[in-house]
Amino acid sequence: MESHVQETLQNAQLSFEHFRLEVLKDYRIACISREVSLLGRKEVLTGKAKFGIFGDGKEVPQLAMAKFFRPGDFYSGYYRDQTFALATEGVSVQEFFAQLYADPDPKNEPHSAGRQMNAHFATQFVDETGKTVDLINRKNLAASLAPTAGQMPKAVGLALASTVFRELGNPQSFQHLTNNGSEICFVTIGDASTSEGPFWESVNAAAVQQIPMAIFVWDDGYGISVPKKYQTTKESISEALKGFQKKENTTGLDIYRLKAWDYAGMCELLETAIEKIRTTHTPALFHVEEVTQPQGHSTSGSHERYKTPDRLQWEREWDCIRKMKEWLIENALAGEEELNQIETDAKEQVRKEKQQAWENFLHPITAQVSKVLNILNQAQAINGLEETLQGLIHELQTNREPSRRDVMRTLYKGITVSQANHVKEEAKKYYDLLTQENNIAFHTHQQVEHFSGSALSVAEIKASYEDTPHLMNGYEILNRYFDQLFSRRNDVLAFGEDLGFIGDVNQGFAGLQAKHGARRIFDTGIRELTIMGQGIGLALRGLRPIAEIQYLDYLLYGLQTLSDDLATLHYRSGGRQAAPMIIRTRGHRLEGIWHSGSPLGMIINSLRGIHICVPRNMVQAAGMYNTLLQSNEPGLVIECLNGYRLKENMPTNLSEFTVPLGIPEVVKQGEDITIVSYGSMLRIIEDAAHHLSLLGISCEIIDVQTLLPFDRNHIILESLKKTNRIIFIDEDVPGGAAAFMFNKVMEEQGGYRYLDVAPRTLTGTDHRPAYGSDGDYFSKPNAEDIVRVISEMMSE
Ligand SMILES: Cc1ncc(C[n+]2csc(CCOP(=O)(O)OP(=O)(O)O)c2C)c(N)n1
Ligand SMILES: [Mg+2]
């Protein structure tokens, strides 16, 4: 009996000791994180880094949150979350500082290879081919982004994936992606950023769909200098959201209020609240109040300018680390001395790791500097420029914090003023070598670079046809295509407005929800931004979403997340992440100011990093879908809005044939003039070409097929060499996509050398297309315009 009691006591003591050590470990991370903030700011103020933004004041709530973040879970957050990232071992102190210095070496700075500002973390989601790695045995941080609330839309997809996986069951092919849908997406956002539209749209989408999302609002009362009274209804996001609160048998989310300095209270609440999200998939919002910001918003300003002395005093007293220390002492978990020692050790550790990061960053630059000095010291200057050369050498030699830019500038100027040929040659050689290195450092990963994951390496398989091909409506071809696709692959999903039950507004998916299931083909609310975000998140989790924008004109609503997040994702994560989603939409001329847009200039300029496909008919569209789905890259496919009821020949290999991206097709051979265009415009051009042939003018018509990438093999140039005349025709505004094509062919391909007459563009007007058939005729290029301009060109 006595020994049993002894054992119980011993066990209790052990578990107390275990608990105590856990808590002290958290305290240590809090102190490390605070020191990171303090030293980080100094690094900026002394000029070693350009800009700094830190998580001081948010340490303790992030430690509580990190306790319940499991392997397999996802995080989508913003720049305040260094403590969370440190606690989950998503980032090391050294990596943190490497990012602060913008170290482009991915070995030192793996989160973005120097491309993102500090505190923007990304763990590895894909291998070098863009293929998703095992995501269930690691803690996953989705690449953050700076636009406020920009982290919200994709979080919808990251959370939705769990619900999809759970409902689909756990097929073998998803085993590295999910553990029966038990993964939560943790989202963080600042109080002021909840004013943004993306926040509200995402909260609604999560609440409607009942997906496992845990949203943490760090409420420090300010968005830079603007206080809550200008940001949030009732100055409280939890109050404002009350109507979203879930009740029995309703959708909605659970709402909790926490205090940022209350370590024990937060841990206790989160333990049950997070478990509930995991098991029930009911989303929750944690309104974390009384958060402080000891150093102000960022290194760009000081908060003394806008906070009252009272507020500043309150922030000092309610600093969460200070409160945690008081709590530790009050509860006899540690003595003051022990805690002071932890603080001292933490400071020392951060100092050392920071120093190491700086040395690592500087090392290759120092080597470049000494090599350049070595070369220039041997150089003799052109007569009269000796002082310039000596000045260059001196400037670089005395530069205490030289950058790659300083090295390149000095070397380039040195080459121009140097005389001795052998030294000049050596300098040029070194300049070229550094250019190559810098290209790798700053320009890689715009797309997946590994052959097997790139859409550009998908082999072309031509469409084949029966001797007497079967003629079908365009929409029927797509419908058959999607039916075969969903039978063939279990990782493809499609969703959008009116896409599920009725099978999209043009019947591409008609009948397919009933056949393939409402978890794979489904309706969404009218919320283009989060439809796109949903696609990004699902793709990040290894699924292959086809996310629909009902009409191209409405892409604008979804453009923010496509441009800021998807288009930059692979690049800004240094190749660590990729989201091969397909955006499907329909556009170009029809009738109506918002149903006939073709804003391709806007699209190609804002979406570099996404393939932009502009098929002329539905068969070509199917071939592009096949190509994209064989790659690990994202693509936008714009079907012709006026093409669904046009008859096309049905290929016999609908699921297999591929359309190579960036390879234009000569759709009509001709001798006198090259006409370059795409999409719905081509049918009007064919009509005009027929008319022109009656006038004795032979047109060669080229369909570019994709705008990004554009004519990789210079097929257009070959045509121009033959015809010596060229016109670019599109429906976009003047200076839009036509100007882009013009620039590519004239400047990049050197087309100007083969011109007999001035090259032209023929475009839509400067305003949006007016309604009705006449509106279309007078707003967009029509056949008569084409005949007139080409006739003029022929008589020039
Ligand atoms: C779309 C957008 N607008 C403006 C900014 C500039 N900006 C950066 S942070 C910030 C304030 C954010 O405040 P809050 O959401 O409360 O987060 P906190 O910094 O206080 O943690 C602003 C206006 C931005 N990054 N993105
Ligand atoms: Mg704030």
Side-chain angles (χ1 to χ4, degrees):
M1 178 71 189
E2 200 172 303
S3 76
H4 185 66
V5 171
Q6 194 90 16
E7 202 179 305
T8 313
L9 276 176
Q10 256 173 12
N11 283 346
Q13 226 156 23
L14 267 182
S15 62
F16 176 76
E17 187 55 16
H18 178 74
F19 166 72
R20 195 183 86 87
L21 291 177
E22 275 294 300
V23 177
L24 289 186
K25 191 173 147 208
D26 273 356
Y27 187 70
R28 202 174 73 84
I29 297 171
C31 295
I32 288 173
S33 182
R34 178 63 59 91
E35 192 60 16
V36 162
S37 302
L38 297 174
L39 289 193
R41 187 177 173 88
K42 277 197 192 137
E43 294 303 89
V44 178
L45 300 185
T46 56
K48 279 156 88 181
K50 287 284 163 192
F51 170 80
I53 194 153
F54 305 102
D56 44 313
K58 279 93 185 164
E59 293 91 348
V60 174
Q62 289 180 24
L63 287 165
M65 168 188 168
K67 285 205 161 325
F68 306 100
F69 188 73
R70 278 203 212 147
D73 283 342
F74 289 80
Y75 154 88
S76 177
Y78 78 118
Y79 49 76
R80 290 280 177 227
D81 299 330
Q82 70 199 46
T83 316
F84 173 76
L86 287 165
T88 53
E89 294 178 3
V91 72
S92 69
V93 172
Q94 211 168 299
E95 288 171 359
F96 182 92
F97 279 97
Q99 193 172 48
L100 187 72
Y101 302 136
D103 190 334
D105 184 342
K107 285 197 291 303
N108 302 331
E109 202 284 79
H111 298 271
S112 74
R115 290 159 187 197
Q116 290 239 74
M117 283 178 172
N118 78 302
H120 290 76
F121 311 117
T123 54
Q124 188 179 4
F125 283 32
V126 298
D127 63 19
E128 78 276 17
T129 71
K131 192 165 174 287
T132 313
V133 297
D134 178 323
L135 294 175
I136 56 169
N137 293 306
R138 59 177 91 200
K139 297 181 176 180
N140 305 294
L141 311 185
S144 324
L145 58 166
T148 45
Q151 69 275 31
M152 298 295 305
K154 78 164 153 219
V156 176
L158 288 169
L160 176 64
S162 292
T163 308
V164 169
F165 282 132
R166 187 170 283 184
E167 289 180 27
L168 288 180
N170 218 358
Q172 197 71 15
S173 50
F174 301 145
Q175 273 187 358
H176 62 304
L177 303 175
T178 188
N179 186 358
N180 193 30
S182 65
E183 304 79 19
I184 295 178
C185 179
F186 288 58
V187 191
T188 65
I189 185 164
D191 55 314
S193 301
T194 65
S195 313
E196 294 277 20
F199 172 80
W200 292 90
E201 199 180 304
S202 302
V203 166
N204 185 54
V208 165
Q209 297 188 103
Q210 294 292 283
I211 55 178
M213 195 195 267
I215 307 166
F216 291 81
V217 182
W218 309 137
D219 185 353
D220 58 15
Y222 291 86
I224 310 185
S225 67
V226 182
K228 268 197 293 195
K229 72 172 172 178
Y230 299 117
Q231 305 279 5
T232 313
T233 304
K234 300 181 185 177
E235 296 189 43
S236 164
I237 193 62
S238 47
E239 279 293 314
L241 278 170
K242 275 205 166 140
F244 282 72
Q245 195 143 18
K246 186 174 165 86
K247 297 189 180 136
E248 216 176 324
N249 300 325
T250 71
T251 56
L253 70 160
D254 291 327
I255 297 174
Y256 305 91
R257 294 173 82 155
L258 303 86
K259 304 282 184 223
W261 43 265
D262 180 10
Y263 176 78
M266 284 187 292
C267 288
E268 198 182 326
L269 187 147
L270 288 178
E271 184 170 14
T272 42
I274 297 289
E275 192 49 35
K276 181 173 175 201
I277 302 172
R278 219 177 273 292
T279 49
T280 65
H281 282 193
T282 304
L285 180 126
F286 301 94
H287 183 193
V288 183
E289 297 179 278
E290 301 184 23
V291 183
T292 69
Q293 204 181 61
Q295 298 192 110
H297 177 77
S298 71
T299 52
S300 299
S302 88
H303 58 161
E304 285 81 10
R305 279 195 301 158
Y306 50 83
K307 286 182 187 164
T308 62
D310 281 356
R311 168 77 195 187
L312 290 167
Q313 180 56 26
W314 177 85
E315 290 202 12
R316 276 188 289 277
E317 280 166 24
W318 291 87
D319 184 305
C320 60
I321 299 185
R322 181 175 166 170
K323 287 281 157 202
M324 185 176 179
K325 188 173 183 179
E326 285 170 16
W327 174 79
L328 285 165
I329 294 170
E330 271 167 27
N331 289 280
L333 286 158
E336 183 142 18
E337 228 168 83
E338 190 177 4
L339 296 175
N340 289 347
Q341 188 58 48
I342 290 176
E343 288 157 31
T344 310
D345 292 349
K347 282 187 181 151
E348 182 54 17
Q349 183 191 333
V350 174
R351 196 191 58 75
K352 275 196 191 140
E353 291 201 46
K354 182 207 72 160
Q355 190 55 29
Q356 190 58 55
W358 178 248
E359 280 165 24
N360 292 347
F361 169 66
L362 218 52
H363 182 72
I365 305 177
T366 316
Q368 291 179 11
V369 168
S370 56
K371 171 96 182 170
V372 169
L373 288 174
N374 198 339
I375 294 173
L376 294 189
N377 274 321
Q378 299 167 46
Q380 287 160 0
I382 295 169
N383 234 348
L385 290 175
E386 293 83 356
E387 264 185 36
T388 311
L389 185 61
Q390 282 316 312
L392 287 172
I393 292 170
H394 178 75
E395 207 181 312
L396 191 60
Q397 213 158 23
T398 53
N399 189 338
R400 285 182 50 213
E401 271 133 29
S403 64
R404 286 173 171 77
R405 179 183 62 177
D406 300 331
V407 170
M408 293 304 271
R409 279 174 160 180
T410 309
L411 191 54
Y412 187 82
K413 286 184 192 158
I415 292 167
T416 59
V417 302
S418 129
Q419 196 180 31
N421 272 346
H422 69 284
V423 179
K424 209 173 162 102
E425 277 313 304
E426 195 189 344
K428 272 190 189 154
K429 250 197 193 153
Y430 191 49
Y431 188 86
D432 291 345
L433 181 81
L434 289 184
T435 302
Q436 270 178 30
E437 276 182 33
N438 289 327
N439 279 342
I440 292 170
F442 297 102
H443 305 306
T444 50
H445 301 302
Q446 176 71 347
Q447 248 104 35
V448 172
E449 285 169 352
H450 194 282
F451 182 79
S452 66
S454 161
L456 306 191
S457 61
V458 173
E460 180 179 6
I461 300 175
K462 289 199 184 307
S464 54
Y465 296 94
E466 283 169 0
D467 290 344
T468 320
H470 196 45
L471 263 184
M472 286 175 93
N473 284 315
Y475 79 89
E476 291 168 321
I477 290 177
L478 280 180
N479 188 269
R480 181 157 316 170
Y481 173 74
F482 288 128
D483 189 12
Q484 291 180 7
L485 175 65
F486 276 73
S487 304
R488 207 159 39 90
R489 287 181 65 153
N490 68 354
D491 56 348
V492 180
L493 306 172
F495 48 86
E497 297 154 17
D498 304 290
L499 186 139
F501 189 62
I502 66 165
D504 91 38
V505 285
N506 293 91
Q507 299 181 52
F509 278 93
L512 300 187
Q513 184 183 63
K515 182 167 174 188
H516 298 286
R519 195 59 277 177
R520 298 188 62 203
I521 295 169
F522 54 97
D523 285 322
T524 65
I526 305 175
R527 47 176 180 82
E528 287 77 9
L529 182 70
T530 49
I531 294 172
M532 295 298 97
Q534 204 161 287
I536 299 171
L538 289 166
L540 276 169
R541 290 199 59 182
L543 289 162
R544 299 304 300 253
I546 300 174
E548 182 168 307
I549 295 282
Q550 198 161 65
Y551 297 102
L552 180 60
D553 291 275
Y554 306 129
L555 184 76
L556 261 173
Y557 275 63
L559 195 63
Q560 183 271 323
T561 197
L562 292 180
S563 180
D564 287 329
D565 199 353
L566 182 65
T568 64
L569 179 67
H570 199 58
Y571 175 77
R572 77 176 201 276
S573 64
R576 273 187 150 184
Q577 297 184 8
M581 74 182 279
I582 291 177
I583 304 124
R584 176 190 184 217
T585 187
R586 47 191 76 82
H588 312 311
R589 57 205 314 157
L590 195 68
E591 293 184 1
I593 186 165
W594 282 288
H595 292 83
S596 50
S598 199
L600 265 307
M602 171 189 85
I603 291 169
I604 56 183
N605 285 325
S606 56
L607 299 182
R608 302 289 158 104
I610 300 176
H611 298 306
I612 307 298
C613 306
V614 280
R616 64 181 178 274
N617 59 33
M618 303 309 157
V619 169
Q620 293 306 103
M624 291 173 185
Y625 287 126
N626 281 333
T627 304
L628 288 169
L629 285 164
Q630 282 185 39
S631 82
N632 295 324
E633 296 176 332
L636 165 69
V637 180
I638 302 168
E639 296 166 9
C640 295
L641 190 40
N642 62 10
Y644 292 109
R645 291 196 176 269
L646 299 178
K647 301 275 188 226
E648 296 181 38
N649 291 334
M650 170 65 107
T652 50
N653 57 348
L654 191 60
S655 291
E656 290 82 40
F657 86 99
T658 55
V659 172
L661 307 188
I663 309 295
E665 186 178 332
V666 179
V667 290
K668 180 186 167 304
Q669 306 261 354
E671 302 303 323
D672 297 326
I673 184 162
T674 300
I675 306 177
V676 181
S677 193
Y678 58 87
S680 299
M681 208 50 246
L682 286 166
R683 279 183 284 280
I684 289 170
I685 292 169
E686 276 167 16
D687 181 20
H690 176 68
H691 193 105
L692 284 161
S693 73
L694 303 178
L695 305 176
I697 301 169
S698 158
C699 301
E700 178 140 309
I701 305 175
I702 299 185
D703 175 5
V704 303
Q705 307 220 71
T706 62
L707 284 162
L708 298 178
F710 186 83
D711 189 9
R712 289 153 57 208
N713 298 339
H714 296 191
I715 287 168
I716 299 171
L717 187 71
E718 288 311 306
S719 170
L720 178 56
K721 283 181 186 170
K722 177 175 69 173
T723 62
N724 308 112
R725 293 182 189 85
I726 193 162
I727 182 167
F728 301 87
I729 305 181
D730 87 326
E731 299 178 31
D732 197 5
V733 292
F740 170 80
M741 299 191 286
F742 185 96
N743 171 263
K744 283 277 180 190
V745 177
M746 287 303 130
E747 187 177 335
E748 205 172 289
Q749 301 187 4
Y752 67 91
R753 286 173 292 183
Y754 303 97
L755 292 171
D756 281 353
V757 301
R760 308 282 168 94
T761 62
L762 180 58
T763 68
T765 52
D766 266 321
H767 53 73
R768 294 236 180 158
Y771 177 51
S773 302
D774 285 348
D776 170 72
Y777 185 84
F778 292 106
S779 304
K780 303 250 184 169
N782 57 54
E784 289 66 41
D785 289 334
I786 298 168
V787 171
R788 180 176 44 78
V789 174
I790 290 181
S791 301
E792 281 167 17
M793 288 174 77
M794 292 305 297
S795 58
E796 241 178 61

